[in-house]
Amino acid sequence: MTHKEFGDFGEKFAQKYLEKKKYKIIETNYRIKSAEIDIIAYDKNTLCFIEVKSRSSDLFGLPCEAVDVKKQQKIINGAMWYIAQNGIESEIRFDVVEIFATEKNDKLKVKKINIIKNAFTN
């Protein structure tokens, strides 16, 4: 399984998980020239810009640690563009969803999922 396939699996799993938690998914894989946002969703009245990070272990650190200041700034810039283009006036939040999954017999199984709300601020 490629790194991209593993990441895509994590994003799809996160989307389904968030929907079960009553998030209303607005966009997935939102792209502008300088940024990509994995999931844009409403959690009640708050618009959330969500970065999904999938890992098979924490051997090289937690998934959320991969969302460094540079990545955060790109997400914030993308969010500001999205807000301006869509006339959004609600509260916003930046979250990170961590997916821990293992592969066995070419199938992925999620061991743990963690939502970090307000993972960083704008």
Side-chain angles (χ1 to χ4, degrees):
M1 177 162 294
T2 68
H3 182 72
K4 180 170 178 5
E5 290 170 330
F6 191 79
D8 289 347
F9 168 82
E11 287 180 22
K12 287 184 177 101
F13 189 91
Q15 181 178 343
K16 289 176 188 171
Y17 182 82
L18 291 168
E19 287 172 336
K20 287 180 185 175
K21 294 286 186 185
K22 306 294 184 209
Y23 282 67
K24 182 181 177 195
I25 307 298
I26 305 300
E27 298 253 1
T28 57
N29 299 310
Y30 173 76
R31 286 182 172 84
I32 61 169
K33 185 177 181 179
S34 61
E36 177 190 347
I37 300 171
D38 294 330
I39 300 171
I40 301 172
Y42 275 99
D43 179 17
K44 297 183 178 93
N45 296 325
T46 302
L47 185 61
C48 303
F49 297 91
I50 303 164
E51 177 69 10
V52 180
K53 288 296 180 188
S54 304
R55 298 288 184 270
S56 57
S57 77
D58 59 3
L59 186 64
F60 298 104
L62 295 172
C64 66
E65 293 172 338
V67 187
D68 60 14
V69 173
K70 186 176 179 180
K71 179 70 172 173
Q72 290 175 18
Q73 193 57 55
K74 286 184 176 188
I75 295 168
I76 290 168
N77 290 343
M80 295 303 111
W81 179 262
Y82 182 85
I83 288 165
Q85 293 299 306
N86 292 284
I88 304 294
E89 294 184 11
S90 65
E91 290 189 29
I92 65 166
R93 187 175 78 213
F94 297 94
D95 298 349
V96 173
V97 174
E98 297 178 310
I99 304 283
F100 293 91
T102 55
E103 182 180 4
K104 188 174 183 180
N105 300 326
D106 291 328
K107 293 194 178 193
L108 288 170
K109 180 178 180 181
V110 173
K111 299 187 303 185
K112 180 180 172 186
I113 185 166
N114 185 34
I115 301 174
I116 303 168
K117 294 180 179 183
N118 288 311
F120 53 95
T121 59
N122 55 345

